[in-house]
Amino acid sequence: TALHFIRSSIYYLSFGKDDYIDLYLRKASGAAKPNYSDKEFSQVLANQMIHVIRNLYDMNVRRMICMGILPLGCTPRMLLDRYNSNSKAGEEDDDGRGCVEEINAQVSEYNKMLHEQIAMLRAELPDAQIVFCDVYQGIRKIINNPEHYGFEDVKSACCGLGKYGAAIGCLSKDTACEQDTSHVWWDLYNPTKAVNSLLADSAWSGSPLSRICRPTTIQELLSTASPSHPIPT
């Protein structure tokens, strides 16, 4: 039946990245300041995710995967914005080594809020199976030890032009590097297929990047029986 299909299905939720990108672009351009503080902005986005989870639960969805936000402060576009800001101020840049930690701090705050609220929601809705996947920590592990995972370039986009491949975005395959498997980033804000494959494998089985998804892996979530509690009328 349709009800069994809904309850036995797994729903994938991922949003918030574009909201942060828009916020940082407006800040970088000197546009009007947002109506929220950084912490309030993170809280608003986390609350929206929880609201969506509750709505799905009310529609009898019981198994959900919620994705955190990747380390935007390490993306090529954010590195370029920092480089341009430092150049205008006459400050020395570190040539792209390291990430923009102010940005990562806010993203980490959002991920922490979301993870904590999901944990509380699991206690409130015991027949719901909600998994939080922390792609932020996964990508940071890769960036901190790229050679271990087979990567060479942790700064520049494979597809793009200019410094960090971020001055002009990915327009066509002609602007792409020859070996995207050596890069962490594909374009201004998105990882390469090689990184996404590592994240997917780790989310599924817990390896090679441990505890990407909590409290269980997606494989374990799929193998568990779907909740069969009576449905309130």
Side-chain angles (χ1 to χ4, degrees), residues 57-78:
Y57 182 86
D58 290 342
M59 292 186 286
N60 296 310
V61 172
R62 291 298 181 267
R63 297 199 289 184
M64 291 168 262
I65 300 169
C66 301
M67 305 300 292
I69 296 177
L70 54 76
L72 287 172
C74 302
T75 58
R77 179 54 187 265
M78 297 307 174

Side-chain angles (χ1 to χ4, degrees), residues 7-8 12-13 38 48 52 54 56-57 76 92 114 139 163 166 184 220:
R7 278 186 170 252
S8 61
Y12 176 92
L13 306 176
D38 288 351
Q48 287 180 346
V52 170
R54 288 185 179 278
L56 288 172
Y57 182 86
E92 292 186 4
L114 180 59
I139 293 180
K163 192 170 183 64
V184 169
E220 291 167 338

Side-chain angles (χ1 to χ4, degrees), residues 141-195:
K141 287 180 180 179
I142 293 172
I143 290 174
N144 292 339
N145 192 8
E147 295 83 5
H148 178 74
Y149 298 101
F151 297 96
E152 298 175 9
D153 193 326
V154 303
K155 304 174 297 182
S156 299
C158 170
C159 191
L161 300 173
K163 192 170 183 64
Y164 307 129
I168 299 177
C170 184
L171 301 176
S172 71
K173 63 180 181 180
D174 295 331
T175 60
C177 61
E178 293 184 1
Q179 293 291 335
D180 64 325
T181 55
S182 66
H183 282 64
V184 169
W185 303 106
W186 168 250
D187 58 12
L188 303 183
Y189 304 107
N190 297 295
T192 57
K193 288 190 293 185
V195 170

Side-chain angles (χ1 to χ4, degrees), residues 65-93:
I65 300 169
C66 301
M67 305 300 292
I69 296 177
L70 54 76
L72 287 172
C74 302
T75 58
R77 179 54 187 265
M78 297 307 174
L79 292 179
L80 178 64
D81 286 346
R82 179 188 60 178
Y83 173 82
N84 289 337
S85 297
N86 287 348
S87 297
K88 290 177 182 178
E91 300 174 3
E92 292 186 4
D93 187 74

